[in-house]
Amino acid sequence: MKIKDIKTYPINVGSGSQLVVKVETDSGIYGWGASGLSGRELAVVGAIQHFKPFLIGKDARQIGALWQEMYRGQYFEGGRVLAAAISAIDIALYDIKGKALGVPVYELLGGKQRDYVDCFASVRFTTREELFDYSLLLVKEGWTMLRLAPAEFESQDDKGLFESRKSIALLSDWLIDLRKEIGSQVTLGIDYHTRLNAAETYSFISKMPAGTIDFIEEPIRDESPEAYGSLRKLITVPFTIGEEFSSKWQFVPFIEKNITQYVRLDVCNVGGITEAMKVAAMAESHYIDLMPHNPLGPICTAASIHLGAACSNFSWLEEVNTPAQYMGTNAPEYYPLQHTLEGPRYKVLDTPGLGVEFNEDLAAQSEFVPVEIPRLHRSDGSFTNW
């Protein structure tokens, strides 16, 4: 079963963008994959064009060997663009192999260890009213884990203005009140999306009573494990880190030094299912659970479900299309076959491969417009992280 062609489909879905990859074989079986490098899809398309000449004609079943060739087949190995390209192709190869054998992908990973994959709701809000309305609705609908994604900077007259100290004062008060409202049975976390520094993170946590939040996601940039290590000594709230990591090696210091308490890997960024399983095993040896990043669409969701089904150390999968908010990333016109939520979780199905289909005819007819992320600035005119 030889690889015959690799096709790329950058598309606009909802308010964002996705890159879907199709790997075709000479047997007629094909597989779908996706890249997680949001906003830089065309860079990943370029990387795949470099991979394509030496992949054509290779045995599509040799997933591990092809991963090694893609990763080591250039002098400048690794990096986020190459890893995102490898991820998409790797996921597609698992889809192919599952279909060829007539089994779901999780059977290729050791079989399922759970019947359902539990999810957390990603709650994006700009005002206190939105925070409470969305959160209370989700709790009423049976969601017991909420990950808050504040975008309070968008509600100001000067959109994109972000002053960390003002944000800290505002959000800490809101969270104290929200915890009182929803009680202690709901797991509550917040994603500060690398907008703070270490001192500001300590200040934010210290403004709230113990137990207000159950974890904080990526408050500072992740390039320096040493900075995170110092911060780990200052606060007791668990960290969840890793959605931007593009290899198992980036996870090593955060796992081995117990800096993070949840592994926030993205199967479409880290190197696909092949690399994700290695990260999962590393995390298991340190009693750390997976909390996969899942902001894209049904292919990323499906790959993450199969990963979660096959791993013992799994906690929650991110979900951005909930009863409170619909981000539109799972657009049925593009994905006529996809996994669907049953309340706050996905049932682990026995559909061969990933269990997803993509409308490539629609994608081929659609114009792609690259989407840029927001760019935040301070009142003095300097730029800061989004």
Side-chain angles (χ1 to χ4, degrees), residues 76-228:
F76 298 100
E77 61 188 31
R80 288 189 170 98
V81 174
L82 294 181
I86 293 171
S87 298
I89 294 171
D90 182 85
I91 292 167
L93 293 176
Y94 274 97
D95 192 24
I96 289 170
K97 195 164 187 175
K99 290 173 180 175
L101 297 174
V103 299
V105 166
Y106 61 74
E107 293 289 3
L108 308 177
L109 310 177
K112 69 176 181 178
Q113 300 195 36
R114 52 183 51 83
D115 296 322
Y116 291 89
V117 166
D118 290 321
C119 298
F120 72 78
S122 180
V123 182
R124 192 172 188 271
F125 62 95
T126 59
T127 65
R128 186 183 189 278
E129 182 180 26
E130 287 181 347
L131 169 62
F132 275 71
D133 287 348
Y134 296 151
S135 299
L136 292 175
L137 173 60
L138 287 163
V139 172
K140 182 180 178 181
E141 292 290 327
W143 292 72
T144 59
M145 202 294 215
L146 311 179
R147 195 288 311 271
L148 310 178
E152 77 282 5
F153 49 83
E154 292 188 359
S155 65
Q156 304 170 17
D157 292 334
D158 182 4
K159 288 191 175 182
L161 174 64
F162 179 79
E163 291 291 352
S164 54
R165 290 291 174 176
K166 290 182 179 179
S167 174
I168 288 168
L170 196 68
L171 293 180
S172 58
D173 284 346
W174 292 359
L175 290 176
I176 291 170
D177 292 343
L178 180 63
R179 174 56 79 187
K180 292 177 182 177
E181 186 74 21
I182 64 176
S184 60
Q185 298 300 310
V186 178
T187 301
L188 190 64
I190 186 168
D191 176 12
Y192 238 117
H193 220 261
T194 75
R195 297 184 195 123
L196 305 181
N197 62 32
E200 291 164 346
T201 302
Y202 174 78
S203 180
F204 174 62
I205 298 299
S206 67
K207 289 181 183 298
M208 297 178 289
T212 302
I213 59 174
D214 296 293
F215 66 86
I216 183 169
E217 180 179 342
E218 301 197 334
I220 67 174
R221 295 291 303 181
D222 58 41
E223 287 88 349
S224 172
E226 292 78 14
Y228 255 116

Side-chain angles (χ1 to χ4, degrees), residues 230-277:
S230 297
L231 186 55
R232 175 71 289 155
K233 298 174 183 177
L234 292 174
I235 68 174
T236 57
V237 174
F239 287 138
T240 174
I241 303 170
E243 68 184 49
E244 300 174 65
F245 290 178
S246 55
S247 76
K248 55 183 167 290
W249 292 287
Q250 280 186 276
F251 275 103
V252 167
F254 290 89
I255 292 175
E256 290 190 347
K257 296 180 180 179
N258 293 302
I259 293 172
T260 190
Q261 285 65 57
Y262 292 101
V263 161
R264 188 89 166 101
L265 67 78
D266 187 323
V267 70
C268 295
N269 276 330
V270 77
I273 294 171
T274 296
E275 192 79 339
M277 288 296 290

Side-chain angles (χ1 to χ4, degrees), residues 7 9 22 24 30 32 334 358-365:
K7 298 176 179 178
Y9 296 100
K22 183 183 186 184
E24 297 178 339
Y30 57 86
W32 297 111
Y334 277 112
F358 178 70
N359 187 342
E360 61 182 314
D361 291 335
L362 176 61
Q365 298 167 10

Side-chain angles (χ1 to χ4, degrees), residues 342-358:
E342 296 184 6
R345 60 186 187 174
Y346 286 100
K347 184 176 177 59
V348 179
L349 304 175
D350 58 4
T351 309
L354 289 175
V356 175
E357 282 297 336
F358 178 70

